[in-house]
PDB file of all heavy atoms in Angstrom:
ATOM      1  N   GLY B 616     -32.503 -19.721  -1.559  1.00 96.00           N
ATOM      2  CA  GLY B 616     -33.733 -20.131  -2.235  1.00 96.00           C
ATOM      3  C   GLY B 616     -34.935 -20.169  -1.317  1.00 96.00           C
ATOM      4  O   GLY B 616     -36.075 -20.123  -1.780  1.00 96.00           O
ATOM      5  N   PHE B 617     -34.693 -20.235  -0.020  1.00 96.00           N
ATOM      6  CA  PHE B 617     -35.794 -20.255   0.936  1.00 96.00           C
ATOM      7  C   PHE B 617     -36.157 -18.850   1.426  1.00 96.00           C
ATOM      8  O   PHE B 617     -37.338 -18.507   1.534  1.00 96.00           O
ATOM      9  CB  PHE B 617     -35.425 -21.129   2.135  1.00 96.00           C
ATOM     10  CG  PHE B 617     -36.556 -21.351   3.100  1.00 96.00           C
ATOM     11  CD1 PHE B 617     -37.538 -22.298   2.833  1.00 96.00           C
ATOM     12  CD2 PHE B 617     -36.654 -20.602   4.268  1.00 96.00           C
ATOM     13  CE1 PHE B 617     -38.591 -22.503   3.713  1.00 96.00           C
ATOM     14  CE2 PHE B 617     -37.703 -20.807   5.154  1.00 96.00           C
ATOM     15  CZ  PHE B 617     -38.679 -21.756   4.881  1.00 96.00           C
ATOM     16  N   PHE B 618     -35.142 -18.020   1.722  1.00 96.00           N
ATOM     17  CA  PHE B 618     -35.384 -16.724   2.366  1.00 96.00           C
ATOM     18  C   PHE B 618     -35.420 -15.527   1.409  1.00 96.00           C
ATOM     19  O   PHE B 618     -35.666 -14.407   1.860  1.00 96.00           O
ATOM     20  CB  PHE B 618     -34.304 -16.453   3.423  1.00 96.00           C
ATOM     21  CG  PHE B 618     -34.449 -17.274   4.672  1.00 96.00           C
ATOM     22  CD1 PHE B 618     -33.423 -18.117   5.084  1.00 96.00           C
ATOM     23  CD2 PHE B 618     -35.600 -17.207   5.443  1.00 96.00           C
ATOM     24  CE1 PHE B 618     -33.535 -18.867   6.240  1.00 96.00           C
ATOM     25  CE2 PHE B 618     -35.740 -17.960   6.601  1.00 96.00           C
ATOM     26  CZ  PHE B 618     -34.702 -18.796   7.004  1.00 96.00           C
ATOM     27  N   ALA B 619     -35.136 -15.714   0.120  1.00 95.00           N
ATOM     28  CA  ALA B 619     -35.071 -14.572  -0.798  1.00 95.00           C
ATOM     29  C   ALA B 619     -36.384 -13.794  -0.801  1.00 95.00           C
ATOM     30  O   ALA B 619     -37.450 -14.341  -1.085  1.00 95.00           O
ATOM     31  CB  ALA B 619     -34.733 -15.051  -2.203  1.00 95.00           C
ATOM     32  N   ASN B 620     -36.282 -12.520  -0.492  1.00 94.00           N
ATOM     33  CA  ASN B 620     -37.444 -11.627  -0.434  1.00 94.00           C
ATOM     34  C   ASN B 620     -37.661 -11.005  -1.813  1.00 94.00           C
ATOM     35  O   ASN B 620     -36.760 -10.352  -2.341  1.00 94.00           O
ATOM     36  CB  ASN B 620     -37.181 -10.539   0.611  1.00 94.00           C
ATOM     37  CG  ASN B 620     -38.361  -9.613   0.813  1.00 94.00           C
ATOM     38  OD1 ASN B 620     -38.906  -9.091  -0.144  1.00 94.00           O
ATOM     39  ND2 ASN B 620     -38.737  -9.401   2.062  1.00 94.00           N
ATOM     40  N   PRO B 621     -38.835 -11.171  -2.415  1.00 92.00           N
ATOM     41  CA  PRO B 621     -39.039 -10.663  -3.781  1.00 92.00           C
ATOM     42  C   PRO B 621     -38.854  -9.158  -3.910  1.00 92.00           C
ATOM     43  O   PRO B 621     -38.377  -8.673  -4.938  1.00 92.00           O
ATOM     44  CB  PRO B 621     -40.471 -11.087  -4.111  1.00 92.00           C
ATOM     45  CG  PRO B 621     -41.103 -11.429  -2.804  1.00 92.00           C
ATOM     46  CD  PRO B 621     -40.015 -11.892  -1.914  1.00 92.00           C
ATOM     47  N   LYS B 622     -39.200  -8.398  -2.871  1.00 92.00           N
ATOM     48  CA  LYS B 622     -39.010  -6.944  -2.939  1.00 92.00           C
ATOM     49  C   LYS B 622     -37.522  -6.590  -2.933  1.00 92.00           C
ATOM     50  O   LYS B 622     -37.080  -5.703  -3.664  1.00 92.00           O
ATOM     51  CB  LYS B 622     -39.717  -6.268  -1.758  1.00 92.00           C
ATOM     52  CG  LYS B 622     -41.235  -6.363  -1.819  1.00 92.00           C
ATOM     53  CD  LYS B 622     -41.879  -5.645  -0.636  1.00 92.00           C
ATOM     54  CE  LYS B 622     -43.395  -5.734  -0.712  1.00 92.00           C
ATOM     55  NZ  LYS B 622     -44.052  -5.056   0.461  1.00 92.00           N
ATOM     56  N   LEU B 623     -36.759  -7.297  -2.108  1.00 93.00           N
ATOM     57  CA  LEU B 623     -35.321  -7.044  -2.077  1.00 93.00           C
ATOM     58  C   LEU B 623     -34.650  -7.557  -3.349  1.00 93.00           C
ATOM     59  O   LEU B 623     -33.691  -6.946  -3.828  1.00 93.00           O
ATOM     60  CB  LEU B 623     -34.701  -7.721  -0.851  1.00 93.00           C
ATOM     61  CG  LEU B 623     -35.190  -7.211   0.512  1.00 93.00           C
ATOM     62  CD1 LEU B 623     -34.546  -7.994   1.644  1.00 93.00           C
ATOM     63  CD2 LEU B 623     -34.892  -5.718   0.662  1.00 93.00           C
ATOM     64  N   SER B 624     -35.163  -8.642  -3.881  1.00 91.00           N
ATOM     65  CA  SER B 624     -34.622  -9.151  -5.146  1.00 91.00           C
ATOM     66  C   SER B 624     -34.818  -8.131  -6.258  1.00 91.00           C
ATOM     67  O   SER B 624     -33.959  -7.964  -7.131  1.00 91.00           O
ATOM     68  CB  SER B 624     -35.301 -10.470  -5.526  1.00 91.00           C
ATOM     69  OG  SER B 624     -35.014 -11.485  -4.585  1.00 91.00           O
ATOM     70  N   ARG B 625     -35.947  -7.433  -6.210  1.00 91.00           N
ATOM     71  CA  ARG B 625     -36.205  -6.410  -7.235  1.00 91.00           C
ATOM     72  C   ARG B 625     -35.215  -5.261  -7.119  1.00 91.00           C
ATOM     73  O   ARG B 625     -34.786  -4.688  -8.124  1.00 91.00           O
ATOM     74  CB  ARG B 625     -37.639  -5.894  -7.097  1.00 91.00           C
ATOM     75  CG  ARG B 625     -38.049  -4.950  -8.213  1.00 91.00           C
ATOM     76  CD  ARG B 625     -39.523  -4.575  -8.114  1.00 91.00           C
ATOM     77  NE  ARG B 625     -39.922  -3.744  -9.239  1.00 91.00           N
ATOM     78  CZ  ARG B 625     -39.746  -2.419  -9.293  1.00 91.00           C
ATOM     79  NH1 ARG B 625     -39.182  -1.794  -8.264  1.00 91.00           N
ATOM     80  NH2 ARG B 625     -40.109  -1.732 -10.354  1.00 91.00           N
ATOM     81  N   LEU B 626     -34.830  -4.914  -5.879  1.00 90.00           N
ATOM     82  CA  LEU B 626     -33.835  -3.854  -5.699  1.00 90.00           C
ATOM     83  C   LEU B 626     -32.486  -4.257  -6.283  1.00 90.00           C
ATOM     84  O   LEU B 626     -31.735  -3.407  -6.781  1.00 90.00           O
ATOM     85  CB  LEU B 626     -33.660  -3.542  -4.206  1.00 90.00           C
ATOM     86  CG  LEU B 626     -34.828  -2.881  -3.487  1.00 90.00           C
ATOM     87  CD1 LEU B 626     -34.499  -2.696  -2.012  1.00 90.00           C
ATOM     88  CD2 LEU B 626     -35.173  -1.539  -4.132  1.00 90.00           C
TER      89      LEU B 626
END
Side-chain angles (χ1 to χ4, degrees):
F617 187 80
F618 286 121
N620 184 310
K622 292 181 179 179
L623 297 178
S624 296
R625 187 174 184 276
L626 292 178

